[in-house]
Amino acid sequence: MGFKEDYELEYLENEAESLVFKELEDQLSEDWAKDICKCQDCVLDMAALSLNTIKPFYRVSLLGKVYAGSLTGSDYTDEVKKAVTNSIVKISSNPSH
Ligand SMILES: [Zn+2]
């Protein structure tokens, strides 16, 4: 048996992902973003750039549920907001298509 078979590594989740996706959704629906391209390529580029900018936030999904709530209003969520705004501006001014 290998390490991957011995341990259920899929319980490891990067909380940054769900925060970035939610933040992207919110910001892209705001008025200032109404003329910004929201095609598959651009939005995935924005998500990737955001996630590469911020620190990851891993938790174990079975035991770590409490964490998610406690992130609200924290410095970390501020970082996520800023990273997402920067990514939207950067990608939309230089889209890959
Ligand atoms: Zn696009």
Side-chain angles (χ1 to χ4, degrees):
M1 287 282 271
F3 188 76
K4 278 178 156 171
E5 287 76 37
D6 287 345
Y7 300 98
E8 310 220 37
L9 298 175
E10 61 273 19
Y11 287 143
L12 206 52
E13 278 178 18
N14 187 0
E15 188 68 32
E17 284 184 15
S18 47
L19 289 171
V20 161
F21 299 155
K22 178 76 178 63
E23 191 59 33
L24 254 182
E25 187 184 6
D26 287 353
Q27 291 196 28
L28 285 176
S29 68
E30 284 169 14
D31 216 36
W32 65 271
K34 69 175 188 304
D35 294 327
I36 280 169
C37 178
K38 299 171 187 76
C39 76
Q40 167 87 6
D41 287 353
C42 287
V43 171
L44 288 190
D45 280 348
M46 289 167 191
L49 184 58
S50 305
L51 286 166
N52 283 331
T53 310
I54 57 172
K55 291 195 301 270
F57 197 100
Y58 279 97
R59 66 187 175 90
V60 178
S61 63
L62 287 181
L63 307 169
K65 287 281 181 207
V66 192
Y67 253 139
S70 68
L71 281 174
T72 311
S74 65
D75 289 351
Y76 191 72
T77 53
D78 279 352
E79 265 178 58
V80 170
K81 270 187 190 136
K82 277 181 218 147
V84 166
T85 307
N86 288 339
S87 303
I88 294 174
V89 172
K90 242 184 211 164
I91 300 296
S92 63
S93 62
N94 190 18
S96 61
H97 52 72

